[in-house]
Amino acid sequence: MGEKKVSLPAKLINGGVAGLVGVTCVFPIDLAKTRLQNQQGIQVYKGMFDCLAKTVRSEGYFGCYRGAAVNLTLVTPEKAIKLAANDVFRQKLSKDGHLPLWGEVLAGCGAGTCQVVVTTPMEMLKIQLQDAGRLASRRPMPTSAQAAAPDPAASFVAQPTRPQRPSATGITVELLKTRGLAGLYKGAGATLMRDVPFSMIYFPLFANLNALGRESTGSPADVQAQAPFWQSFVAGCSAGSVAAVAVTPLDVIKTRLQTLQKGEGEDTYRGIFDCTRRIMRREGPSAFLKGATCRALVIAPLFGIAQVVYFLGVGEAVLGLLG
């Protein structure tokens, strides 16, 4: 990552820029992941490529970016909180320039806990927007007999009008009006259950992969700063993929709990344990790995892009211009 230590403000800028670039690049795959995880009973999509192809065919290219505006708006504060918290926890838990494995895991746990403040409402809104197209595709199309119905009521029902698409603002207002602030934090427990283990796996794994082949002299930040770019890039992609796949079952539960609108015949859930039990009973254990490939393909590039941004020193350049 270069031969110099990176200041915390520069890290925050780098994290924000990496988040914006990464979300723009991989958001269609994330949309496919959400739709695949929400499928129950009728299988509208056979896989990631089938989902993307059908989305483009029915909603156009930009249909693959439903909900991206929410992510692009909130990803910068999310990454800033996550990176800053991990940095602070690692410094506090280091002793004589050494951070033991339990300290790395604990720092990741703290970072994952802190980021949930932003992640939960961001995911809540994003999932409703992403899944709207899947729900629309499950609605029955009017028959020719219905379309030719003479009476006004039947004609009204038969009109093949496209359902109004939800907006992030509309969903936010409705949730605040009907459920208060707690409505935006529906599924916060499930989000914690996913993000804390993810960070506990990712940060220690990345730090150790990034430090391979070098002596552990000096502070952990110094050791990380000595890594060549290619090693940091591979470490980021590898650690991100492993952590993403490992917590996929928890992500499936979170996605199901946060989805407000269900298709006909689809289950609704009362909580984490009820969701786990119903999925296992009705769909089997394989359902907990829905979207695992998509998650790996989303997370690996996100962290790889982050390493590119760090290597280019975008945050340092911005601070230099402002200074």
Side-chain angles (χ1 to χ4, degrees), residues 41-77:
I42 299 173
Q43 300 295 301
V44 178
Y45 312 110
K46 297 183 179 68
M48 180 182 71
F49 292 111
D50 182 55
C51 177
L52 292 174
K54 287 179 177 176
T55 299
V56 171
R57 193 157 56 239
S58 61
E59 303 170 56
Y61 172 75
F62 289 106
C64 294
Y65 281 88
R66 301 283 180 200
V70 175
N71 253 34
L72 291 171
T73 302
L74 296 177
V75 71
T76 298

Side-chain angles (χ1 to χ4, degrees), residues 91-112:
Q91 288 178 4
K92 296 292 184 184
L93 295 169
S94 297
K95 291 185 178 180
D96 301 322
H98 176 69
L99 183 65
L101 179 60
W102 65 264
E104 294 180 354
V105 172
L106 201 56
C109 176

Side-chain angles (χ1 to χ4, degrees), residues 79-235:
K79 297 298 180 190
I81 291 172
K82 186 173 188 172
L83 290 169
N86 185 65
D87 199 62
V88 169
F89 285 126
R90 288 179 71 89
Q91 288 178 4
K92 296 292 184 184
L93 295 169
S94 297
K95 291 185 178 180
D96 301 322
H98 176 69
L99 183 65
L101 179 60
W102 65 264
E104 294 180 354
V105 172
L106 201 56
C109 176
T113 302
C114 292
Q115 79 172 77
V116 168
V117 175
V118 175
T119 304
T120 303
M122 178 180 76
E123 293 270 318
M124 182 71 182
L125 296 173
K126 182 194 74 171
I127 286 171
Q128 315 316 315
L129 298 170
Q130 286 181 326
D131 204 43
R134 182 189 70 89
L135 293 173
S137 67
R138 284 174 57 94
R139 295 190 182 99
M141 295 297 291
T143 63
S144 56
Q146 287 176 322
D151 64 287
S155 299
F156 177 76
V157 172
Q159 289 299 320
T161 55
R162 180 173 295 182
Q164 186 176 0
R165 295 197 179 277
S167 68
T169 304
I171 295 170
T172 302
V173 171
E174 183 63 24
L175 284 172
L176 290 174
K177 194 182 298 181
T178 57
R179 308 187 188 188
L181 190 60
L184 287 174
Y185 281 87
K186 178 181 170 64
T191 306
L192 263 175
M193 194 175 69
R194 180 200 66 174
D195 288 351
V196 169
F198 178 91
S199 295
M200 290 172 69
I201 296 169
Y202 172 77
F203 283 113
L205 183 57
F206 170 76
N208 283 279
L209 290 175
N210 206 33
L212 282 177
R214 287 184 306 287
E215 294 293 329
S216 300
T217 56
S219 70
D222 290 332
V223 176
Q224 296 300 314
Q226 296 165 10
F229 165 69
W230 68 265
Q231 185 172 356
S232 294
F233 181 82
V234 172

